[in-house]
Amino acid sequence: RVGQAGAMAETPLQILNRVFGFPAFRGRQQAVIERLMVGGDALVLMPTGGGKSLCYQIPALLRPGTGIVVSPLIALMQDQVDALRQLGVRAAFLNSSLARDQVERTEHALLAGQLDLLYVAPERLLSGRFLALLERTPIALFAIDEAHCVSQWGHDFRPEYVQLDLLHRRWPQVPRVALTATADAPTRSEILTRLQLPLDAQFVSSFDRPNIRYRIVEKRSPRQQLLQFLKREHPGDAGIVYCRSRRSVDETAEFLREQGFQSVPYHAGMTAEQRRANQARFLREDGLITVATIAFGMGIDKPDVRFVAHLDLPKSLEAYYQETGRAGRDGLPADAWMTYGLGDLVMLRRFIDESGAEEQFKRLEHQKLDNMLGLCETTECRRQVLLNYFGEPLPEPCGNCDTCLEPVPTWDGTVAAQKALSCIFRTGERFGASYLTDVLLGKTNERMRRFGHDKVSTHGIGLELNADQWRSVYRQLVAAGLVAVDVEGHGGLRLTENSRPLLRGERSIRLRQDPDNKAQKRAARAP
Ligand code: ADP
Ligand code: ZN
C-alpha cells in the first residue's frame, strides 16, 4: 500500500518524494494540498503541464477513503491510471469503454476500500447507481478536472458539469477541488458560482513564461521572413514552425530543407507511422525543426525547443499560449515569433462563419479571435496583454517582447478613443464594434432607428476615420482593458473602471499606427 498505511506518519512532501520521486513541490501545489488536507475546497488554475494532478492525488493518498476524480477526457483515463499503478497507487477508472464485468470488479474494489483514486466520467458519476455506491463508501475528496466544462459560454461545455454542485449538497463535509488551465476571469467566476466554491478558494499559478521572447511581425513573404529569422537567430537550433494547412506544412518543410535546415513535416494527413517516426526524431535529435499543423504538440515535452514560429495566426490566445509554451521548457532564452496579416483574419472569420455551429458559439469564436488580434495590434507590452487575458495582470512592461524592445509608431488616439467610448455609453453599453462603428459613421438602419440611436449625440461624429479604423480603435481599447466585452450577454462592449479617466480627459492614449494610414494622421492632427 502506498497510501493510508503510513498516513499518520507521512507528510505531503514525503509522499511526493517517496511515491512520485520528485524532490520539491512546484508553484501552489503545496498550498492547495494543505487546504484539502484540512477539509477545505479549492479552485486550481495552472497552465497545462503545471502539475495539477498531484494537487488531488497526494491528498487522496493521505486522507481516509477514495479520491473521486471527475474527468471528461475518457481517452486519457487509461493512461493516467496505468501511470499511477506503476507507482504503486491503487487507481481505477469507470467509463463507457469498459465491459460489464470490468465495471463490476471496479465497483467491488471501491466498496471494499481498495482504491486510492477512482476516475469517473461525469455522466457515470451522476447515475443513480453510482451515487448509491458512493453513499456506502468513505470519500477522501472530489476532484473536478477540466472544471471550465461547467461554463456555458466556453468551448467545452458539458451539461453534466452543471449538476456537479449536487456533490456538495450530498457530501458537504467532503473537500472538493476544481482544476482547469482556462483562467479567463468570466470562466473563473462561473466555475466558482456554479460549483458553489467559496471566493477565497482560488489558487492561481503564474502563466508567465519570462524566458520566452514574444514577437509578432507583419506578414509580407512569410517563408522568406522565416528564413531570415532562422539564419540570423537560430542556426542549428531545434524548433517548431506552425502552419495552418497540411499543404503549407509540406511546402515549408521542403523549403527549409532546400535552404539547408534539417526539418520534418507533421500533420494529420500523414500515416500514423510517419508521424511517430518524425516525432521520435524531433525528440531524439539535436537541432531538428518540425513543421507542423496544430495536430503536433500534445504531450511534446522537449526541454530545448529554442523557438516556436507561427506562419499563420492561431484562432485564440489560449491556442497561441499553448503552442508558444512549447518553447524554452528548460528555462533558457527562447523565441515565440509570428507573422500575421489581414489574410489570416479573413480566413479565420470565414472558417467560423461557415462552421455550421450555433450562433452563440460563433460569436464566442469571433470574440476569441478579436482577443488574438488585440495581442497582434497592441502597442503595449505583449506579455502584459497576454497575462491580462489569463487574469494575471503584470504590473510593469516585461522588457522581453518586441513592443518593449522596439516601441511601435503610434498616433494620439485620445479624441478618437473618447468618441468611441461615449458611443458605447450613449447606446447603453450593449452593442458590438460593428454597430458602434455604424453609429459613429452616421449610418442609419432599421435597427438603429428602432433604438433611436440615429438621434444620439455620437451619431455621425466619427467621419475622420473609416470603418476598419474604428474597428481597430475598438480592438485596441479592448486589448488595453479600457473596454470590456460582455461574455455573459451577446458580445456587446461596455465601459470599465479604466475608461473614466480617458472620458474625463484626465489621460491620453496612443494607438498603433498602421502603415500608410493617412486618415489616422489627419485625425491625430485635428484639434
Ligand atoms: P497538468 O495536469 O497541470 O497539465 P500534470 O499534472 O500532468 O500537469 O503534470 C505535468 C508534468 O509535471 C508531469 O509529468 C508531472 O509528473 C510533472 N510534475 C508535477 N509536479 C511536479 C513536481 N512538484 N516536481 C516535478 N515534476 C512535477
Ligand atoms: Zn514586454
Side-chain angles (χ1 to χ4, degrees), residues 5-27:
M8 300 312 274
E10 274 194 307
T11 64
L13 182 61
Q14 285 166 329
I15 294 276
L16 179 76
N17 302 152
R18 182 174 64 81
V19 179
F20 295 93
F22 298 133
F25 284 113
R26 271 191 199 159

PDB file of all heavy atoms in Angstrom, residues 5-27:
ATOM      1  N   ALA A   5      -1.642   3.576   4.662  1.00  0.00           N
ATOM      2  CA  ALA A   5      -0.961   2.756   5.652  1.00  0.00           C
ATOM      3  C   ALA A   5      -0.039   3.585   6.538  1.00  0.00           C
ATOM      4  O   ALA A   5      -0.052   3.486   7.750  1.00  0.00           O
ATOM      5  CB  ALA A   5      -0.158   1.656   4.965  1.00  0.00           C
ATOM      6  N   GLY A   6       0.744   4.464   5.883  1.00  0.00           N
ATOM      7  CA  GLY A   6       1.669   5.261   6.675  1.00  0.00           C
ATOM      8  C   GLY A   6       1.161   6.671   6.894  1.00  0.00           C
ATOM      9  O   GLY A   6       1.945   7.567   7.158  1.00  0.00           O
ATOM     10  N   ALA A   7      -0.135   6.851   6.728  1.00  0.00           N
ATOM     11  CA  ALA A   7      -0.680   8.202   6.678  1.00  0.00           C
ATOM     12  C   ALA A   7      -0.377   9.030   7.918  1.00  0.00           C
ATOM     13  O   ALA A   7      -0.049  10.205   7.812  1.00  0.00           O
ATOM     14  CB  ALA A   7      -2.187   8.149   6.458  1.00  0.00           C
ATOM     15  N   MET A   8      -0.484   8.402   9.073  1.00  0.00           N
ATOM     16  CA  MET A   8      -0.290   9.181  10.284  1.00  0.00           C
ATOM     17  C   MET A   8       1.101   9.799  10.321  1.00  0.00           C
ATOM     18  O   MET A   8       1.280  10.924  10.713  1.00  0.00           O
ATOM     19  CB  MET A   8      -0.485   8.304  11.525  1.00  0.00           C
ATOM     20  CG  MET A   8      -1.861   7.688  11.625  1.00  0.00           C
ATOM     21  SD  MET A   8      -3.185   8.896  11.340  1.00  0.00           S
ATOM     22  CE  MET A   8      -3.372   9.549  13.003  1.00  0.00           C
ATOM     23  N   ALA A   9       2.071   9.012   9.829  1.00  0.00           N
ATOM     24  CA  ALA A   9       3.443   9.477   9.935  1.00  0.00           C
ATOM     25  C   ALA A   9       3.854  10.383   8.776  1.00  0.00           C
ATOM     26  O   ALA A   9       4.677  11.267   8.942  1.00  0.00           O
ATOM     27  CB  ALA A   9       4.386   8.285  10.014  1.00  0.00           C
ATOM     28  N   GLU A  10       3.286  10.152   7.583  1.00  0.00           N
ATOM     29  CA  GLU A  10       3.841  10.830   6.410  1.00  0.00           C
ATOM     30  C   GLU A  10       3.230  12.200   6.139  1.00  0.00           C
ATOM     31  O   GLU A  10       2.044  12.448   6.368  1.00  0.00           O
ATOM     32  CB  GLU A  10       3.680   9.940   5.173  1.00  0.00           C
ATOM     33  CG  GLU A  10       4.841   8.970   5.048  1.00  0.00           C
ATOM     34  CD  GLU A  10       4.896   8.310   3.689  1.00  0.00           C
ATOM     35  OE1 GLU A  10       3.873   7.737   3.271  1.00  0.00           O
ATOM     36  OE2 GLU A  10       5.954   8.360   3.053  1.00  0.00           O
ATOM     37  N   THR A  11       4.067  13.059   5.609  1.00  0.00           N
ATOM     38  CA  THR A  11       3.615  14.384   5.207  1.00  0.00           C
ATOM     39  C   THR A  11       3.436  14.389   3.689  1.00  0.00           C
ATOM     40  O   THR A  11       3.945  13.498   2.999  1.00  0.00           O
ATOM     41  CB  THR A  11       4.679  15.438   5.547  1.00  0.00           C
ATOM     42  OG1 THR A  11       5.853  15.143   4.772  1.00  0.00           O
ATOM     43  CG2 THR A  11       5.030  15.441   7.026  1.00  0.00           C
ATOM     44  N   PRO A  12       2.722  15.411   3.158  1.00  0.00           N
ATOM     45  CA  PRO A  12       2.599  15.505   1.695  1.00  0.00           C
ATOM     46  C   PRO A  12       3.957  15.494   1.003  1.00  0.00           C
ATOM     47  O   PRO A  12       4.130  14.840  -0.024  1.00  0.00           O
ATOM     48  CB  PRO A  12       1.887  16.847   1.503  1.00  0.00           C
ATOM     49  CG  PRO A  12       1.065  17.022   2.742  1.00  0.00           C
ATOM     50  CD  PRO A  12       1.889  16.419   3.849  1.00  0.00           C
ATOM     51  N   LEU A  13       4.938  16.170   1.586  1.00  0.00           N
ATOM     52  CA  LEU A  13       6.264  16.211   0.953  1.00  0.00           C
ATOM     53  C   LEU A  13       6.898  14.822   0.896  1.00  0.00           C
ATOM     54  O   LEU A  13       7.517  14.446  -0.104  1.00  0.00           O
ATOM     55  CB  LEU A  13       7.180  17.184   1.711  1.00  0.00           C
ATOM     56  CG  LEU A  13       8.576  17.348   1.118  1.00  0.00           C
ATOM     57  CD1 LEU A  13       8.513  17.911  -0.312  1.00  0.00           C
ATOM     58  CD2 LEU A  13       9.448  18.256   1.999  1.00  0.00           C
ATOM     59  N   GLN A  14       6.713  14.065   1.981  1.00  0.00           N
ATOM     60  CA  GLN A  14       7.268  12.710   1.984  1.00  0.00           C
ATOM     61  C   GLN A  14       6.614  11.841   0.914  1.00  0.00           C
ATOM     62  O   GLN A  14       7.287  11.045   0.260  1.00  0.00           O
ATOM     63  CB  GLN A  14       7.124  12.082   3.375  1.00  0.00           C
ATOM     64  CG  GLN A  14       8.148  12.658   4.358  1.00  0.00           C
ATOM     65  CD  GLN A  14       7.830  12.318   5.804  1.00  0.00           C
ATOM     66  OE1 GLN A  14       6.667  12.174   6.185  1.00  0.00           O
ATOM     67  NE2 GLN A  14       8.866  12.206   6.627  1.00  0.00           N
ATOM     68  N   ILE A  15       5.302  11.993   0.740  1.00  0.00           N
ATOM     69  CA  ILE A  15       4.610  11.251  -0.319  1.00  0.00           C
ATOM     70  C   ILE A  15       5.151  11.669  -1.688  1.00  0.00           C
ATOM     71  O   ILE A  15       5.393  10.842  -2.565  1.00  0.00           O
ATOM     72  CB  ILE A  15       3.085  11.508  -0.260  1.00  0.00           C
ATOM     73  CG1 ILE A  15       2.498  10.929   1.029  1.00  0.00           C
ATOM     74  CG2 ILE A  15       2.398  10.926  -1.487  1.00  0.00           C
ATOM     75  CD1 ILE A  15       2.175   9.462   0.965  1.00  0.00           C
ATOM     76  N   LEU A  16       5.359  12.977  -1.851  1.00  0.00           N
ATOM     77  CA  LEU A  16       5.897  13.476  -3.122  1.00  0.00           C
ATOM     78  C   LEU A  16       7.241  12.821  -3.429  1.00  0.00           C
ATOM     79  O   LEU A  16       7.501  12.385  -4.547  1.00  0.00           O
ATOM     80  CB  LEU A  16       6.051  15.000  -3.073  1.00  0.00           C
ATOM     81  CG  LEU A  16       6.628  15.658  -4.335  1.00  0.00           C
ATOM     82  CD1 LEU A  16       5.579  15.716  -5.436  1.00  0.00           C
ATOM     83  CD2 LEU A  16       7.169  17.051  -4.041  1.00  0.00           C
ATOM     84  N   ASN A  17       8.087  12.742  -2.408  1.00  0.00           N
ATOM     85  CA  ASN A  17       9.417  12.132  -2.573  1.00  0.00           C
ATOM     86  C   ASN A  17       9.322  10.635  -2.819  1.00  0.00           C
ATOM     87  O   ASN A  17       9.864  10.122  -3.791  1.00  0.00           O
ATOM     88  CB  ASN A  17      10.287  12.349  -1.327  1.00  0.00           C
ATOM     89  CG  ASN A  17      10.484  13.808  -0.963  1.00  0.00           C
ATOM     90  OD1 ASN A  17      10.690  14.147   0.196  1.00  0.00           O
ATOM     91  ND2 ASN A  17      10.389  14.692  -1.945  1.00  0.00           N
ATOM     92  N   ARG A  18       8.605   9.959  -1.920  1.00  0.00           N
ATOM     93  CA  ARG A  18       8.642   8.501  -1.907  1.00  0.00           C
ATOM     94  C   ARG A  18       7.835   7.900  -3.057  1.00  0.00           C
ATOM     95  O   ARG A  18       8.302   7.012  -3.759  1.00  0.00           O
ATOM     96  CB  ARG A  18       8.106   7.977  -0.563  1.00  0.00           C
ATOM     97  CG  ARG A  18       8.142   6.458  -0.443  1.00  0.00           C
ATOM     98  CD  ARG A  18       7.739   6.009   0.952  1.00  0.00           C
ATOM     99  NE  ARG A  18       6.362   6.332   1.297  1.00  0.00           N
ATOM    100  CZ  ARG A  18       5.315   5.592   0.909  1.00  0.00           C
ATOM    101  NH1 ARG A  18       5.491   4.527   0.166  1.00  0.00           N
ATOM    102  NH2 ARG A  18       4.093   5.940   1.267  1.00  0.00           N
ATOM    103  N   VAL A  19       6.611   8.383  -3.257  1.00  0.00           N
ATOM    104  CA  VAL A  19       5.739   7.764  -4.253  1.00  0.00           C
ATOM    105  C   VAL A  19       6.006   8.317  -5.650  1.00  0.00           C
ATOM    106  O   VAL A  19       6.117   7.571  -6.614  1.00  0.00           O
ATOM    107  CB  VAL A  19       4.251   7.977  -3.881  1.00  0.00           C
ATOM    108  CG1 VAL A  19       3.349   7.350  -4.945  1.00  0.00           C
ATOM    109  CG2 VAL A  19       3.960   7.386  -2.506  1.00  0.00           C
ATOM    110  N   PHE A  20       6.136   9.639  -5.755  1.00  0.00           N
ATOM    111  CA  PHE A  20       6.250  10.242  -7.083  1.00  0.00           C
ATOM    112  C   PHE A  20       7.705  10.510  -7.491  1.00  0.00           C
ATOM    113  O   PHE A  20       7.977  10.806  -8.649  1.00  0.00           O
ATOM    114  CB  PHE A  20       5.410  11.528  -7.148  1.00  0.00           C
ATOM    115  CG  PHE A  20       3.939  11.251  -7.000  1.00  0.00           C
ATOM    116  CD1 PHE A  20       3.328  11.306  -5.750  1.00  0.00           C
ATOM    117  CD2 PHE A  20       3.175  10.899  -8.106  1.00  0.00           C
ATOM    118  CE1 PHE A  20       1.970  11.028  -5.617  1.00  0.00           C
ATOM    119  CE2 PHE A  20       1.818  10.628  -7.979  1.00  0.00           C
ATOM    120  CZ  PHE A  20       1.214  10.686  -6.722  1.00  0.00           C
ATOM    121  N   GLY A  21       8.601  10.460  -6.512  1.00  0.00           N
ATOM    122  CA  GLY A  21      10.011  10.608  -6.840  1.00  0.00           C
ATOM    123  C   GLY A  21      10.447  12.025  -7.188  1.00  0.00           C
ATOM    124  O   GLY A  21      11.461  12.218  -7.851  1.00  0.00           O
ATOM    125  N   PHE A  22       9.689  13.048  -6.755  1.00  0.00           N
ATOM    126  CA  PHE A  22      10.077  14.439  -7.008  1.00  0.00           C
ATOM    127  C   PHE A  22      10.600  15.062  -5.725  1.00  0.00           C
ATOM    128  O   PHE A  22      10.070  14.811  -4.649  1.00  0.00           O
ATOM    129  CB  PHE A  22       8.889  15.264  -7.513  1.00  0.00           C
ATOM    130  CG  PHE A  22       8.330  14.782  -8.827  1.00  0.00           C
ATOM    131  CD1 PHE A  22       6.953  14.630  -8.990  1.00  0.00           C
ATOM    132  CD2 PHE A  22       9.161  14.490  -9.899  1.00  0.00           C
ATOM    133  CE1 PHE A  22       6.426  14.190 -10.200  1.00  0.00           C
ATOM    134  CE2 PHE A  22       8.643  14.061 -11.110  1.00  0.00           C
ATOM    135  CZ  PHE A  22       7.279  13.912 -11.263  1.00  0.00           C
ATOM    136  N   PRO A  23      11.647  15.906  -5.840  1.00  0.00           N
ATOM    137  CA  PRO A  23      12.252  16.483  -4.631  1.00  0.00           C
ATOM    138  C   PRO A  23      11.414  17.591  -3.977  1.00  0.00           C
ATOM    139  O   PRO A  23      11.455  17.733  -2.756  1.00  0.00           O
ATOM    140  CB  PRO A  23      13.585  17.053  -5.134  1.00  0.00           C
ATOM    141  CG  PRO A  23      13.387  17.268  -6.601  1.00  0.00           C
ATOM    142  CD  PRO A  23      12.400  16.246  -7.061  1.00  0.00           C
ATOM    143  N   ALA A  24      10.683  18.376  -4.782  1.00  0.00           N
ATOM    144  CA  ALA A  24      10.016  19.541  -4.178  1.00  0.00           C
ATOM    145  C   ALA A  24       8.718  19.857  -4.897  1.00  0.00           C
ATOM    146  O   ALA A  24       8.535  19.479  -6.062  1.00  0.00           O
ATOM    147  CB  ALA A  24      10.947  20.758  -4.267  1.00  0.00           C
ATOM    148  N   PHE A  25       7.819  20.562  -4.191  1.00  0.00           N
ATOM    149  CA  PHE A  25       6.583  20.989  -4.826  1.00  0.00           C
ATOM    150  C   PHE A  25       6.847  22.133  -5.782  1.00  0.00           C
ATOM    151  O   PHE A  25       7.826  22.873  -5.640  1.00  0.00           O
ATOM    152  CB  PHE A  25       5.561  21.418  -3.773  1.00  0.00           C
ATOM    153  CG  PHE A  25       4.930  20.244  -3.080  1.00  0.00           C
ATOM    154  CD1 PHE A  25       5.170  20.000  -1.733  1.00  0.00           C
ATOM    155  CD2 PHE A  25       4.104  19.387  -3.787  1.00  0.00           C
ATOM    156  CE1 PHE A  25       4.599  18.905  -1.110  1.00  0.00           C
ATOM    157  CE2 PHE A  25       3.533  18.290  -3.166  1.00  0.00           C
ATOM    158  CZ  PHE A  25       3.779  18.048  -1.823  1.00  0.00           C
ATOM    159  N   ARG A  26       5.947  22.272  -6.736  1.00  0.00           N
ATOM    160  CA  ARG A  26       6.026  23.377  -7.682  1.00  0.00           C
ATOM    161  C   ARG A  26       4.899  24.354  -7.408  1.00  0.00           C
ATOM    162  O   ARG A  26       3.786  23.928  -7.127  1.00  0.00           O
ATOM    163  CB  ARG A  26       5.747  22.836  -9.085  1.00  0.00           C
ATOM    164  CG  ARG A  26       6.922  22.353  -9.846  1.00  0.00           C
ATOM    165  CD  ARG A  26       6.410  22.153 -11.263  1.00  0.00           C
ATOM    166  NE  ARG A  26       7.283  21.294 -12.023  1.00  0.00           N
ATOM    167  CZ  ARG A  26       6.880  20.640 -13.114  1.00  0.00           C
ATOM    168  NH1 ARG A  26       5.639  20.745 -13.528  1.00  0.00           N
ATOM    169  NH2 ARG A  26       7.725  19.900 -13.771  1.00  0.00           N
ATOM    170  N   GLY A  27       5.199  25.620  -7.589  1.00  0.00           N
ATOM    171  CA  GLY A  27       4.155  26.653  -7.539  1.00  0.00           C
ATOM    172  C   GLY A  27       3.255  26.542  -6.338  1.00  0.00           C
ATOM    173  O   GLY A  27       3.712  26.497  -5.195  1.00  0.00           O
TER     174      GLY A  27
END
